[in-house]
Amino acid sequence: MTQKAFQDYYTDQLSYCYGCGRLNEHGLQIKSYWDGDESVATFTPRPYHIAIPGFVYGGLIASLIDCHGTGTAAAAMYRAEGRALDTLPPFRFVTASLHVDYLKPTPLGAPLEVRGVVKEIKGRKVVVSATLSVNDQVCARGQVVAVQMPENLLPSA
Amino acid sequence: MTQKAFQDYYTDQLSYCYGCGRLNEHGLQIKSYWDGDESVATFTPRPYHIAIPGFVYGGLIASLIDCHGTGTAAAAMYRAEGRALDTLPPFRFVTASLHVDYLKPTPLGAPLEVRGVVKEIKGRKVVVSATLSVNDQVCARGQVVAVQMPENLLPSA
């Protein structure tokens, strides 16, 4: 895709997240995009991201759903207000709760596709449900309750 | 502590988990122990394990609760059957579901303490609740539903 990802609009100071910060060189650097009404991110686990040989580590799956969820929450809030992603003040979200159901072992090797659906926007809260699939087979489902970041945690630049 | 951790009893083939495998050189290598009726693991995040500067990445917190939960589940099953951790056949658990409530931002720099409490043992399922604290302040609570690993995924050696 040639469009910019949700996370590409984050300010530099908010771009060091281990899961999705484009400036965290040790991190996963996931990138989320709109695909119609859903959001999508793909990530190919590294060989060491395993739980048992041949299968993806559940903590990585939780991390992908988490960051894709907060990114989707921010983008959804912009969309709900009819604003472009690069307009100020920024909407940035943190995770209030994360739930993941591991439906089956997730095979290692192919890209993981995380798809998000916005279930609710209410005040400062956005609820995003997510599926994680490999080769179109859903291996995990999750839900992220994201809340707008408190202003005292939001760097000004 | 000089005692062996739950994870130190895992066979080599089950010791490559990114979260708790002692043989995964890229991983977190967390170690869990009994402390009376509770289980405890401590982990000091690396400088790049951040969500926003100064605060711990939520996906790492989920990963710690996940692996500490499955490790506690295995140890609890051994204990419930009056067996030592090094006896065969092994009890190994995978995560069926993971839930984390992030109560407050978790400051980076100090060791994180994850404490687990076994809530239920029923058939092949063990439910473990967990808290994650920094300097005795609880920053996150979680729950892991762990199920005994299917025999077809359990390496024989």
Side-chain angles (χ1 to χ4, degrees), chain B residues 2-142:
Chain B
T2 54
Q3 66 188 117
K4 282 174 74 173
F6 302 161
Q7 294 87 359
D8 291 334
Y9 291 97
Y10 293 2
T11 59
D12 284 1
Q13 283 187 276
L14 290 179
S15 292
Y16 289 93
C17 173
Y18 184 78
C20 61
R22 61 187 155 75
L23 301 178
N24 189 326
E25 63 183 22
H26 299 281
L28 307 175
Q29 299 192 355
I30 75 159
K31 294 187 180 297
S32 306
Y33 304 88
W34 286 124
D35 180 19
D37 278 345
E38 295 187 1
S39 60
V40 62
T42 58
F43 182 84
T44 301
R46 294 159 197 160
Y48 50 79
H49 281 143
I50 62 170
I52 57 174
F55 296 99
V56 177
Y57 175 52
L60 176 73
I61 290 169
S63 298
L64 297 176
I65 289 175
D66 183 7
C67 277
H68 185 61
T70 52
T72 298
M77 192 66 100
Y78 277 104
R79 196 171 59 173
E81 299 211 350
R83 286 176 43 193
L85 288 167
D86 58 356
T87 57
L88 295 173
F91 288 127
R92 294 293 172 261
F93 281 72
V94 291
T95 308
S97 78
L98 169 67
H99 185 91
V100 181
D101 291 315
Y102 298 92
L103 307 178
K104 60 182 71 177
T106 302
L108 187 77
L112 310 180
E113 181 178 270
V114 189
R115 299 192 76 86
V117 174
V118 179
K119 306 301 283 188
E120 182 185 353
I121 300 179
K122 189 174 182 181
R124 297 173 70 88
K125 184 178 82 171
V126 179
V127 180
V128 178
S129 69
T131 57
L132 182 138
S133 305
V134 179
N135 296 327
D136 294 327
Q137 190 160 52
V138 176
C139 296
R141 292 183 190 279

